[in-house]
Amino acid sequence: MEQTFIMIKPDGAQRCLVGEIISRFEKKGFSLRGLKLVSVDSAFAEKHYADLSAKPFFNGLVEYIISGPVVAMVWEGKGVVKTGRTIIGATNPADSAPGTIRGDFAVDIGRNVIHGSDSVESARKEIALWFPEGVVEWQSSLRPWIYE
Ligand code: GTP
Ligand code: MG
C-alpha cells in the first residue's frame, strides 16, 4: 500500500506536539511503519531539501531543520501522500485551514511544525534517505474496520 514520509520538525518536538501529531495520523486510520527521533546535520538536511537549494530561504530552512531533534516517520494507507498533506495543511500557516496541523499549531512559514512528502515519487526517495535500514512489516488488525 502507499507510504509517505512525515517529519515532525524541531519546533514540533520542542513544543511537545509529537503525541498530538501521531494521534491525528493514527485516528485517521493510517498505519505507522517507521518511527525515530533523530538529529540530522546540515549535509543531510540539504539532501532532504535539495529541490529547494536555489531558494532564498534555503540556508534558514537548513538551520531550522538542524536546530534540534526531529521525529521521522513512515505512514501507510490508501492515498496517504495526498491525504497526509491535507492533514498537515498549507505550507504557510497563515493560509492553513483550522483543523489542519499547521492551521491549529503554527503561525510562521519558517516554523511550520511538520513536513510531508509531496508526491509518491518524493515519498519513495525520502523514505530511502531517512530509513535506509527499512521499515517494519506488519498489518494492523483494524484493517477490515478501515477498508471495505
Ligand atoms: P515541507 O512539507 O516542509 O516540504 O513543506 P511544503 O511541501 O508545504 O513546502 P515546500 O516544500 O515548498 O517548502 C519546504 C519548507 O520550506 C516549508 O515547509 C517551509 O518551512 C519552508 N519555506 C517554504 N517557503 C518559504 C518561504 O517563503 N519563506 C521561508 N522562510 N520558509 C519557506
Ligand atoms: Mg515540500
Side-chain angles (χ1 to χ4, degrees):
M1 200 176 277
E2 189 171 300
Q3 296 183 345
T4 193
F5 174 68
I6 300 290
M7 169 184 50
I8 304 174
K9 295 177 179 178
D11 50 335
Q14 292 283 359
R15 293 178 55 205
C16 305
L17 294 172
V18 174
E20 169 77 32
I21 289 170
I22 290 176
S23 186
R24 288 186 179 208
F25 279 83
E26 278 188 321
K27 285 175 185 165
K28 175 69 177 171
F30 293 138
S31 292
L32 186 61
R33 294 288 303 274
L35 171 71
K36 59 187 177 187
L37 181 72
V38 280
S39 291
V40 299
D41 61 19
S42 53
F44 190 94
E46 283 167 16
K47 213 167 175 183
H48 171 75
Y49 279 123
D51 292 353
L52 301 175
S53 60
K55 300 281 185 190
F57 57 82
F58 184 69
N59 290 344
L61 176 60
V62 170
E63 285 302 312
Y64 166 38
I65 297 304
I66 68 169
S67 65
V70 301
V71 179
M73 297 181 278
V74 175
W75 286 91
E76 183 175 87
K78 187 175 175 182
V80 70
V81 170
K82 184 165 180 278
T83 305
R85 300 266 297 180
T86 303
I87 291 170
I88 287 171
T91 305
N92 188 342
D95 303 322
S96 321
T100 65
I101 291 168
R102 288 170 176 163
D104 289 349
F105 302 121
V107 176
D108 198 0
I109 193 168
R111 295 289 184 273
N112 62 359
V113 173
I114 184 168
H115 160 82
S117 306
D118 61 12
S119 67
V120 171
E121 179 55 19
S122 305
R124 198 190 52 73
K125 281 191 206 153
E126 291 171 0
I127 292 167
L129 176 66
W130 287 83
F131 288 88
E133 70 276 24
V135 294
V136 177
E137 284 299 331
W138 74 296
Q139 209 175 90
S140 165
S141 57
L142 292 181
R143 203 174 171 125
W145 299 105
I146 294 166
Y147 297 100
E148 69 172 4

